[in-house]
Amino acid sequence: SLGVNLMFRLNRTLARMMNRFTGYEVTMSETHHTEKKDSPSGTAVTLAEDIISRMDRKRGWVNKPQSEDPSMIAIESLRIGMTPGDHSVTYTSADDVLEIRHSIKNRRTLAEGAVIAAEFLCGKKGIYTMDDLLGEE
C-alpha cells in the first residue's frame, strides 16, 4: 500500500532524528485479523529494523508488549476479528508522546498501491522500489 510505504519513510526519518534525543523510548504495536499467521507482521519487522539501523541505542526487537532491556524495541502483536492491518510506532518521554500510525480501512488500498506502482513502472527498465516511486528521501 502507498500508505504503508509513506509510513516506512516517516519512520526512517523520525528514527534518524530520535537518535539524537535519548529521553524518548520507542515501542511498537500492530494489529491484524485472527487468521494472520506471522507475528509480528512483516510490516512491523520492517519498521523495527529501520529503527534499529538508525538508532545507535537499539540492537534488536522482541515480540512482547514490554521489554526490560532498553536496547530492544518491544512490539505488541494483536490478532483481533477481521482487522486488515494497524501499525503504530510510539516515542514516549517523561513529558510527551509522539506516535506515527497507519491503519488500513479495507484491502482496496493494497490493490490501489499495486496499480500506482505499475503505472510508475510503465516504460521503465531495471529494478525499482517503492522509494523510487515516492521520490527523494
Side-chain angles (χ1 to χ4, degrees):
S1 100
L2 184 59
V4 165
N5 281 279
L6 289 167
M7 183 175 185
F8 288 156
R9 175 73 61 89
L10 291 169
N11 180 57
R12 290 191 300 262
T13 300
L14 187 55
R16 200 170 18 254
M17 293 168 71
M18 285 296 183
N19 196 43
R20 296 177 31 218
F21 304 107
T22 59
Y24 286 88
E25 184 52 47
V26 60
T27 58
M28 294 176 49
S29 176
E30 57 103 8
T31 305
H32 286 278
H33 53 85
T34 55
E35 300 300 314
K36 185 150 183 70
K37 302 296 184 209
D38 59 330
S39 178
S41 67
T43 300
V45 170
T46 297
L47 290 165
E49 294 294 334
D50 282 348
I51 294 167
I52 293 162
S53 70
R54 286 159 180 80
M55 291 183 72
D56 298 337
R57 65 185 183 271
K58 297 299 176 187
R59 65 174 179 82
W61 56 266
V62 292
N63 191 19
K64 55 185 183 177
Q66 295 179 339
S67 174
E68 287 75 38
D69 183 347
S71 70
M72 303 299 279
I73 300 169
I75 303 175
E76 180 179 37
S77 296
L78 304 170
R79 299 296 177 258
I80 301 172
M82 296 302 296
T83 306
D86 187 275
H87 296 86
S88 65
V89 177
T90 305
Y91 288 88
T92 305
S93 77
D95 301 311
D96 59 1
V97 176
L98 179 63
E99 180 177 57
I100 56 174
R101 179 178 177 183
H102 178 260
S103 298
I104 293 178
K105 294 181 180 180
N106 56 60
R107 289 184 171 86
R108 183 179 59 228
T109 189
L110 303 173
E112 182 180 28
V115 169
I116 291 168
E119 289 173 344
F120 171 76
L121 292 173
C122 280
K124 292 181 173 63
K125 292 183 180 185
I127 298 173
Y128 295 87
T129 69
M130 288 298 282
D131 279 329
D132 295 310
L133 184 147
L134 296 177
E136 292 186 34
E137 188 164 353

